[in-house]
């Protein structure tokens, strides 16, 4: 099953980066391949977590698919867990982590594992997805610079 993992140090604190990644409605403005995102529902849990269900449309050239995910925002440990619900994948799960470091910097961790339902689609999209994931860190860092300043 394909997977991708990275840890990237950014010049912003963990709380700011958590809020930026948690603001999923803004993804179409800056996330590679994301052409649309609609939050179907949002529920605030008693323990401080927020759970939402969202439809994300990704597109590249002639390829366009929408998939639904459950997103769990965990501010207490500054992590975000995304679990696949419906769409072109057999499996998709990703996790974000945010850890403060010295001088207002933090390490942003990103892990994703996925498998398309169709082997043909997986073969066609695999290389493109890998390239997109490699651009995620820089896309979120650039967005943080725009939102919070450099």
């Amino acid at each position: 099953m394909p997977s991708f993992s990275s840890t990237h140090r950014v010049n912003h604190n963990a709380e700011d980066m958590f809020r930026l990644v948690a603001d999923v409605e803004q993804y179409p403005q800056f996330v590679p391949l994301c052409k649309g995102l609609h939050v179907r529902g949002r529920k605030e849990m008693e323990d401080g977590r927020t759970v939402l269900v969202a439809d994300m449309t990704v597109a590249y050239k002639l390829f366009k698919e929408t998939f639904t995910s459950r997103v769990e925002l965990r501010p207490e440990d500054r992590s975000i867990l995304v679990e696949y619900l419906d769409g072109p994948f057999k499996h998709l799960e990703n996790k974000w982590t945010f850890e403060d470091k010295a001088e207002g910097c933090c390490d942003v961790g990103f892990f994703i594992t996925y498998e398309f339902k169709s082997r043909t689609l997986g073969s066609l999209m695999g290389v493109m997805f890998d390239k997109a994931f490699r651009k995620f860190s820089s896309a979120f860092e650039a967005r943080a610079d725009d939102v919070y300043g450099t």
Side-chain angles (χ1 to χ4, degrees):
M1 189 175 316
S3 65
F4 178 81
S5 179
S6 74
T7 300
H8 186 72
R9 182 149 305 164
V10 298
N11 291 319
H12 301 281
N13 67 53
E15 180 63 28
D16 285 348
M17 292 305 295
F18 173 85
R19 281 197 318 267
L20 185 123
V21 176
D23 190 9
V24 298
E25 290 92 344
Q26 301 304 313
Y27 284 13
Q29 295 180 29
F30 69 95
V31 172
L33 307 180
C34 180
K35 301 305 177 195
L37 196 136
H38 171 72
V39 174
R40 290 186 187 186
R42 182 183 303 260
K43 184 174 182 179
E44 304 295 327
M45 309 302 277
E46 289 182 19
D47 62 2
R49 292 177 302 127
T50 301
V51 176
L52 53 104
V53 174
D55 296 325
M56 182 176 187
T57 301
V58 295
Y60 179 75
K61 296 185 180 180
L62 299 176
F63 168 83
K64 183 177 180 182
E65 288 285 346
T66 299
F67 62 95
T68 305
S69 297
R70 176 186 180 275
V71 180
E72 185 175 326
L73 309 174
R74 300 174 176 177
E76 72 284 350
D77 68 356
R78 291 192 187 113
S79 67
I80 299 171
L81 179 63
V82 181
E83 297 172 311
Y84 173 73
L85 297 176
D86 188 41
F89 296 95
K90 181 187 262 185
H91 168 85
L92 183 140
E93 181 176 287
N94 83 286
K95 183 174 184 177
W96 292 87
T97 58
F98 310 89
E99 183 179 344
D100 274 321
K101 296 297 178 183
E103 301 296 321
C105 296
C106 79
D107 284 348
V108 177
F110 176 79
F111 172 79
I112 189 164
T113 180
Y114 65 96
E115 183 177 3
F116 286 97
K117 289 178 185 174
S118 160
R119 288 185 190 267
T120 304
L121 186 58
S123 296
L124 291 171
M125 299 306 297
V127 172
M128 185 270 308
F129 263 57
D130 189 56
K131 287 179 183 177
F133 296 144
R134 293 184 190 285
K135 293 180 181 180
F136 274 16
S137 294
S138 58
F140 280 93
E141 185 174 5
R143 176 69 173 176
D145 290 347
D146 288 346
V147 172
Y148 303 120
T150 53

